[in-house]
Amino acid sequence: MVICYSLTHLQRELSLISDNYKTGFVPTMGALHQGHISLVKRAHELSDKVIVSIFVNPTQFNNPLDLERYPRTVEEDCKRLEEAGADIVFVPTVGDIYPQKDERMFDLGGLDSVGEGPRRPGHFNGVAQVVTRLFDIVKPRYAYFGEKDFQQLSIIRYFTKELNYPVEIISCPTIREEDGLAMSSRNMLLTTEQRAAAPLIYKTLKMARERSQAQILSPDELCNWVTGEINSNSMLKTEYVEIVNSLTLRLVKNWNDHEQIQMCVAVFAGSVRLIDNIKLK
Ligand code: AMP
């Protein structure tokens, strides 16, 4: 496995890869866990060469404190990636990715009008900036993203199609801890008490899925029920609970108007913000 700490080094390594090879790319912000590693393993199944980037992208953080305390564990990450069989790890500097200020504004097709969009202004535009920049550099045949970030996945699919990127976006299922908590780099910031409370999020989502099948509660009523359940634990505070059409991400008002439906939540455990989602239909 080769570790490239600069753009020039990465470009040299990429130039050595045969044009016949199908490259797979896994962009990450590091502090890697089994969720990230599952993407690398999936990449191995379809790609001849697997490239992983580790870059904490400043333009997608709307909260400077969140950026400052985002965990950084590059050495440990590289060990895990070597074990997982990555071929190249790209650890660029901010100057490599943004030689000048990135002023680009992306058409996100309105997919940012719910969920994370209004709560994290500029977040998805920052994601589009870094993902397009990385795609321009790496030029992958396949790129792998987790369903844990359901809305991000939809938005990346949208703009890569709009912009005609010749890359196939592959989605990978959410990897969870044994108690159901979705793995996240932010989990390591939780106190013992917050960590003990956090599995209630997915437990409630699973109960919501059962209730949605009975269709006794309307989508709005089910969101209120989920909010009440999660907030019944004093360690947790929901920021939003939304039920959306899985393809358009429009809010669902009636169960029968939509073929595919997803429930998405953001929950604060103290100042740590956790997101999760579940397919209802
Ligand atoms: P991040 O480092 O948080 O930007 O995540 C990098 C990639 O890993 C994104 O495509 C995430 O959706 C994905 N990812 C993060 N957590 C998980 C998880 N628990 N299961 C599967 N994929 C994940």
Side-chain angles (χ1 to χ4, degrees):
M1 186 180 84
V2 182
I3 307 173
C4 303
Y5 287 100
S6 72
L7 179 56
T8 42
H9 186 186
L10 177 76
Q11 284 167 333
R12 206 163 56 236
E13 290 299 325
L14 291 176
S15 71
L16 301 175
I17 299 176
S18 154
D19 287 345
N20 301 328
Y21 276 20
K22 293 184 186 135
T23 50
F25 180 43
V26 181
T28 81
M29 297 204 298
L32 302 184
H33 48 66
Q34 282 307 315
H36 298 109
I37 297 303
S38 73
L39 270 54
V40 176
K41 294 202 166 141
R42 182 82 182 101
H44 251 301
E45 291 168 16
L46 291 176
S47 321
D48 304 310
K49 285 273 177 193
V50 178
I51 300 156
V52 181
S53 64
I54 299 176
F55 179 63
V56 182
N57 171 38
T59 73
Q60 73 186 69
F61 283 81
N62 55 314
N63 176 350
L65 179 67
D66 192 23
L67 171 62
E68 191 187 316
R69 70 171 185 183
Y70 198 85
R72 288 161 170 89
T73 58
V74 174
E75 246 178 68
E76 185 59 30
D77 292 346
C78 288
K79 276 191 210 140
R80 284 179 164 226
L81 290 172
E82 178 131 50
E83 278 165 25
D87 295 290
I88 300 178
V89 185
F90 180 36
V91 191
T93 63
V94 173
D96 282 332
I97 301 299
Y98 302 115
Q100 61 254 334
K101 193 168 185 303
D102 195 337
E103 311 266 17
R104 293 174 299 159
M105 293 298 293
F106 287 80
D107 164 22
L108 303 177
L111 297 170
D112 58 337
S113 65
V114 293
E116 298 294 286
R119 281 88 185 187
R120 300 185 68 188
H123 168 67
F124 287 121
N125 197 64
V127 169
Q129 288 175 339
V130 74
V131 170
T132 52
R133 178 77 179 121
L134 288 168
F135 281 2
D136 289 339
I137 294 168
V138 176
K139 299 185 176 62
R141 172 73 186 79
Y142 303 108
Y144 300 82
F145 294 91
E147 285 163 12
K148 152 87 170 28
D149 298 280
F150 182 78
Q151 189 174 14
Q152 169 174 283
L153 181 60
S154 304
I155 289 176
I156 290 170
R157 276 194 201 289
Y158 177 82
F159 68 71
T160 48
K161 190 155 179 259
E162 282 298 298
L163 298 171
N164 289 315
Y165 272 92
V167 54
E168 195 173 321
I169 305 298
I170 314 262
S171 64
C172 303
T174 302
I175 304 298
R176 299 178 179 279
E177 302 287 355
E178 264 180 29
D179 58 16
L181 176 64
M183 288 193 183
S184 163
S185 307
R186 289 186 173 88
N187 291 352
M188 65 173 77
L189 303 173
L190 296 169
T191 64
T192 312
E193 276 181 313
Q194 291 164 347
R195 176 64 188 80
L200 179 61
I201 301 168
Y202 186 57
K203 190 171 162 222
T204 309
L205 292 185
K206 282 193 297 185
M207 289 198 284
R209 182 177 56 197
E210 276 171 34
R211 287 178 177 231
S212 72
Q213 279 154 10
Q215 292 201 2
I216 294 165
L217 299 181
S218 70
D220 278 348
E221 287 166 343
L222 189 61
C223 289
N224 290 338
W225 178 80
V226 167
T227 303
E229 281 296 303
I230 293 177
N231 291 344
S232 70
N233 186 310
S234 62
M235 289 285 139
L236 304 175
K237 177 92 185 73
T238 54
E239 184 174 28
Y240 66 82
V241 177
E242 289 178 350
I243 298 178
V244 296
N245 179 301
S246 312
L247 302 177
T248 64
L249 302 192
R250 290 289 149 89
L251 291 175
V252 167
K253 293 292 160 198
N254 297 302
W255 296 116
N256 295 328
D257 292 349
H258 305 269
E259 302 254 300
Q260 293 185 56
I261 297 178
Q262 204 82 9
M263 174 176 263
C264 302
V265 300
V267 179
F268 280 103
S271 60
V272 182
R273 194 169 176 281
L274 304 172
I275 60 169
D276 204 345
N277 66 83
I278 194 166
K279 184 176 170 63
L280 299 184
K281 185 173 164 189

